[in-house]
Every structure is written in C-alpha cells, then in structure tokens.
Amino acid sequence: MISLHTRILAADVVHDTLVLPFEQRERCRQRARLASGEEVALFLVRGTVLRDGDLLLGEGGRIVRVEAALEPTYVVCCGDPTLLARCAFHLGNRHTQTQVGAGWLRIRVDPVLREMVAGLGAEVSEELAKFEPEAGAYGGGHGHHHEQGPGGLLAPVPLRQKIHRPSDVTPVEPGPA
C-alpha cells in the first residue's frame, strides 16, 4: 500500500485517480482505493480538504489526481436573488456546508433543510453531483474556485474580538482651553 502525503500544484504525469465524496475529502487520515483498485493510505496535514482536481504526491514519486465523486445533493433555486440570499443566510445560520453557484445553492441531502428552504419559497430538486462547498470565510487553505485576498484567505481574520459595553468607555479629560 502506498502512502499519499503531499498536495502539489502541478505534474507532467498522473499515475492514477482517487475518487472520493466530499465527506471523505475532508478527512486527512484514511485508507482509500484508487480507480485502479490499489489501496492507498492518506496522511495529509490536519485540516486539509481535498478538492476536485487536486494532485497528491506519494512514495516513489507517484502522482494521484483527486476527483470529486457524484453524490446525492439538493439544489436550491430561486427566481428572486433576495430569496436566494435569504436561503443562503438560513443555511449558514445552521452551519450547513453549502456550494454556491450562479443563481443556485447546493447542499447535502437533508429532509429538514429541504423543508426549511422550500418553506421560504425556494424550489428544491435532488441531483447527483460533485459537491464542492465553500471553504468558509476563515477557511484559508487553497481554493481553485475563488479569488482570494492577501495571504490566501477569503476574508480578514480578526486579531482579537472585544465586546464593547457602555461601562467600557474611558472618560475623555478636557484639554487645555
């Protein structure tokens, strides 16, 4: 069994393919089977999320391309952009992993969430698709699918968070007149 341990940016030759659903692409330590049938062990940096098209380097210089598996999903569509934004807000409020497209959202199959967005007025259909949810505002990592800001993050990370209360206000002393 070979070990795949490093994500690389490019390769001239790809030796095999690793087809995984998103749930398995979130795991950094696992056994899996390549398209050829060969068993491999993934030993990636903790927190690594594999995306469709990623390349992994293994022992002996073997290169494997990751392919997102087709999996059951719900596609949420709305004719009204405001309604779509409301659906996205409510899904995010429930910490639901969501893939965002032009005029649609894709989520894992969950009848409770389907009922929620349908209740808001969205059209929901089931579809076998490659699930590639957003990394999250502070997800960092790499992203083929998004332009990222400085440092590779999708949004700035606050250095500290302070709750301001009226009692926290420091009185200002009057200066010389």
Side-chain angles (χ1 to χ4, degrees):
M1 174 181 348
I2 69 163
S3 170
L4 301 173
H5 49 75
T6 306
R7 188 168 44 199
I8 60 174
L9 296 176
D12 293 331
V13 176
V14 174
H15 300 98
D16 214 329
T17 304
L18 180 60
V19 181
L20 298 172
F22 187 73
E23 182 178 324
Q24 286 183 276
R25 289 184 284 127
E26 289 182 290
R27 295 175 34 207
C28 55
R29 305 266 192 275
Q30 65 180 304
R31 287 184 179 194
R33 198 164 295 282
L34 299 174
S36 65
E38 182 179 4
E39 192 174 32
V40 295
L42 289 177
F43 290 105
L44 302 170
V45 174
R46 188 173 304 279
T48 298
V49 176
L50 297 173
R51 298 294 181 169
D52 190 50
D54 278 351
L55 297 172
L56 299 175
L57 174 65
E59 297 163 340
R62 298 263 313 265
I63 308 289
V64 173
R65 181 183 319 281
V66 175
E67 183 178 319
L70 295 177
E71 53 188 299
T73 64
Y74 286 147
V75 178
V76 179
C77 295
C78 307
D80 175 19
T82 303
L83 179 55
L84 188 65
R86 286 184 68 219
C87 289
F89 170 82
H90 287 286
L91 290 168
N93 197 37
R94 284 155 184 79
H95 301 278
T96 303
Q97 291 178 315
T98 305
Q99 181 176 351
V100 179
W104 55 266
L105 305 169
R106 179 174 285 128
I107 60 174
R108 289 184 171 128
V109 170
D110 182 325
V112 172
L113 295 176
R114 178 187 187 129
E115 185 176 321
M116 178 192 72
V117 293
L120 291 169
E123 295 176 26
V124 184
S125 58
E126 195 164 337
E127 178 178 280
L128 274 178
K130 295 180 178 188
F131 186 53
E132 291 284 354
E134 291 291 310
Y138 305 117
H142 86 290
H144 302 314
H145 313 291
H146 304 284
E147 287 297 320
Q148 295 180 354
L153 298 177
L154 297 171
V157 177
L159 296 176
R160 66 186 180 123
Q161 294 179 343
K162 179 170 173 46
I163 299 171
H164 295 280
R165 296 179 182 91
S167 61
D168 293 340
V169 176
T170 304
V172 177
E173 306 237 354

